[in-house]
Amino acid sequence: MKKPTKKEIQTALLNAAQAARENSYSPYSKFKVGAAVLTRSGRIYTGTNIENASFGLTVCAERNAVFAAVGAGEREVVALALVTEKLPGAKINSPCGACRQVLTEFMKPNAPIYMAMLDGTKRTVVTKALKDLLPLVFNLTTVKK
Ligand code: THU
């Protein structure tokens, strides 16, 4: 079988994130987020944001996707896609600071983050390397994974 192109991988990840977003449990913010990660083994895992009446217990879509992968035995995420709706005036929605730190545990600095916003049927995508979203990460480099 032909190796998928970068563009095909990006589209597959974005589609998976968009589908996961449909399962968002966000009755408080009403802001649905979907995420999908591609692991080194070639598998895709997804997550969505899950809120709680005790607001601080909410877990973001990105962390749920990464934790699904790691919980299944994966140890390296090679790309992440994130899909949100377009809020008025927003240029792009990017992963929150807490998620960025969690991502650095399992992604290499140059790994791509595909950030997409839905505006009707239009999907606008911005791509950034993780290192550009979180420079000077906190890292205990000697810890064995
Ligand atoms: N949220 C995410 O799922 N990912 C982010 O990167 C930022 C915020 C969720 C948390 C909450 O359910 C809603 O979006 C509003 O903050």
Side-chain angles (χ1 to χ4, degrees), residues 25-26 29 31-34 48-51 58-62 82 94-96 99:
Y25 178 75
S26 42
S29 74
F31 188 69
K32 294 187 199 178
V33 186
T48 188
N49 54 328
I50 302 177
E51 300 187 342
T58 292
V59 181
C60 295
E62 298 92 319
L82 160 74
S94 60
C96 80
C99 287

Side-chain angles (χ1 to χ4, degrees), residues 49-72:
N49 54 328
I50 302 177
E51 300 187 342
N52 192 272
S54 178
F55 298 161
L57 302 184
T58 292
V59 181
C60 295
E62 298 92 319
R63 263 176 289 163
N64 279 327
V66 171
F67 292 161
V70 175

Side-chain angles (χ1 to χ4, degrees), residues 76-91:
E76 190 184 340
V77 168
V78 296
L80 178 138
L82 160 74
V83 176
T84 67
E85 77 202 73
K86 183 175 172 8
L87 292 178
K91 284 221 170 63

